[in-house]
Amino acid sequence: MRKSKIKLSVIITTYNEELYVGRCIRSIISQSLASDLYEVIVVDDASTDKTPYALELFGESIKVFKNPVNLGLPASINRGIQSAHGHYFVRLDGDDYVNFNYLNFLLMFLESNENLDAVACDYFIVDDNENVLKRCSAIEQPIGCGIIFNRAHILDLGLYDDSFLRNEERDLRLRFDRKYTMGHLALPLYRYRKHVKNITNDTDVMSKYDLKLRSKHQINSD
């Protein structure tokens, strides 16, 4: 693949997701967008299960980076962004998956609206059997994935704050919205898998990073 032709980089972060990461990657390497227009970068955050073996099965269709130690989600995302060649990038968590038109529609929408700097799509929450539990709006219930960014803008903002082991996407979004404009594509192209291992399930840790977010951005808790 000629790097000069790549328009979009897909950054997948994964940690001990041997059960899910294959489904995730299959959904992204068979997109309706021409394969020579995008690259798939997987950052394995020092998995201790069979995730590395699952990644090997995809050969040269993906580019894998493995952290020597567990660095956390934001540092792993940053490594992917810094290794990317695309003008744009999108995130995908290793336990989620996407619609066949995920990349094509996001890229088309952003490039067709010059007043926008990024675009977020809606998403389905699904269970382990991929049954749809709920449709969510990217505006009303934003998540960190399902968003196409101009890579230069995120570099300009200083990337993700790697001290936020939770709420990294909320911190970035607060900084992003002060300078850039986010659009909304009301199509549920992303599939957010709900299961017991979701890191947001740890309420004590989430509370800690909620406080950290409010402190950093001077957000009133009322």
Side-chain angles (χ1 to χ4, degrees):
M1 183 186 298
R2 291 187 295 112
K3 294 177 182 178
S4 60
K5 196 172 182 180
I6 295 172
K7 298 182 70 172
L8 176 61
S9 298
V10 179
I11 298 169
I12 299 173
T13 51
T14 186
Y15 173 68
N16 286 352
E17 288 163 334
E18 62 182 15
L19 297 178
Y20 307 111
V21 72
R23 176 70 172 98
C24 171
I25 295 172
R26 288 194 300 273
S27 76
I28 206 67
I29 63 175
S30 58
Q31 289 282 294
S32 60
L33 184 68
S35 60
D36 59 349
L37 293 181
Y38 70 98
E39 63 178 351
V40 179
I41 296 170
V42 182
V43 181
D44 178 4
D45 196 16
S47 292
T48 57
D49 65 356
K50 295 180 181 178
T51 294
Y53 171 72
L55 299 179
E56 288 178 8
L57 298 177
F58 291 93
E60 295 183 356
S61 61
I62 62 175
K63 186 174 183 179
V64 178
F65 295 93
K66 182 165 185 176
N67 294 337
V69 295
N70 186 265
L71 300 177
L73 180 58
S76 297
I77 301 168
N78 287 342
R79 184 175 185 185
I81 294 171
Q82 292 168 325
S83 304
H85 297 102
H87 182 71
Y88 306 101
F89 80 89
V90 293
R91 275 185 56 194
L92 182 55
D93 285 342
D95 53 352
D96 297 336
Y97 60 102
V98 294
N99 181 276
F100 175 64
N101 292 302
Y102 175 66
L103 299 181
N104 205 357
F105 285 7
L106 280 173
L107 183 61
M108 184 185 304
F109 193 91
L110 183 56
E111 292 190 327
S112 299
N113 293 276
E114 295 182 356
N115 60 311
L116 300 177
D117 300 302
V119 172
C121 69
D122 289 347
Y123 59 98
F124 286 131
I125 296 178
V126 301
D127 63 18
D128 270 346
N129 295 316
E130 300 185 7
N131 297 308
V132 175
L133 303 177
K134 183 181 180 182
R135 174 176 173 164
C136 297
S137 165
I139 300 301
E140 297 172 3
Q141 296 174 277
I143 57 174
C145 299
I147 306 171
I148 182 170
F149 287 106
N150 183 316
R151 180 171 168 267
H153 292 164
I154 304 306
L155 291 171
D156 174 57
L157 293 173
L159 297 168
Y160 286 81
D161 184 338
D162 61 15
S163 70
F164 278 88
L165 299 181
R166 306 289 189 277
N167 283 338
E168 83 293 331
E169 80 288 355
R170 294 176 63 192
D171 169 68
L172 179 76
R173 183 66 182 270
L174 286 166
R175 291 184 283 128
F176 183 90
D177 288 345
R178 294 188 186 112
K179 191 170 184 178
Y180 300 109
T181 302
M182 176 82 69
H184 177 215
L185 177 57
L187 288 173
L189 301 174
Y190 195 87
R191 308 291 188 263
Y192 177 88
R193 192 187 297 270
K194 192 76 172 176
H195 54 84
V196 295
K197 292 185 179 180
N198 288 127
I199 62 173
T200 53
N201 290 339
D202 191 329
T203 55
D204 289 340
V205 174
M206 285 301 299
S207 294
K208 171 186 173 181
Y209 286 99
D210 285 345
L211 288 172
K212 180 178 173 67
L213 187 75
R214 290 198 292 270
S215 176
K216 177 177 178 178
H217 295 278
Q218 299 181 337
I219 299 171
N220 194 316
S221 58
D222 295 336

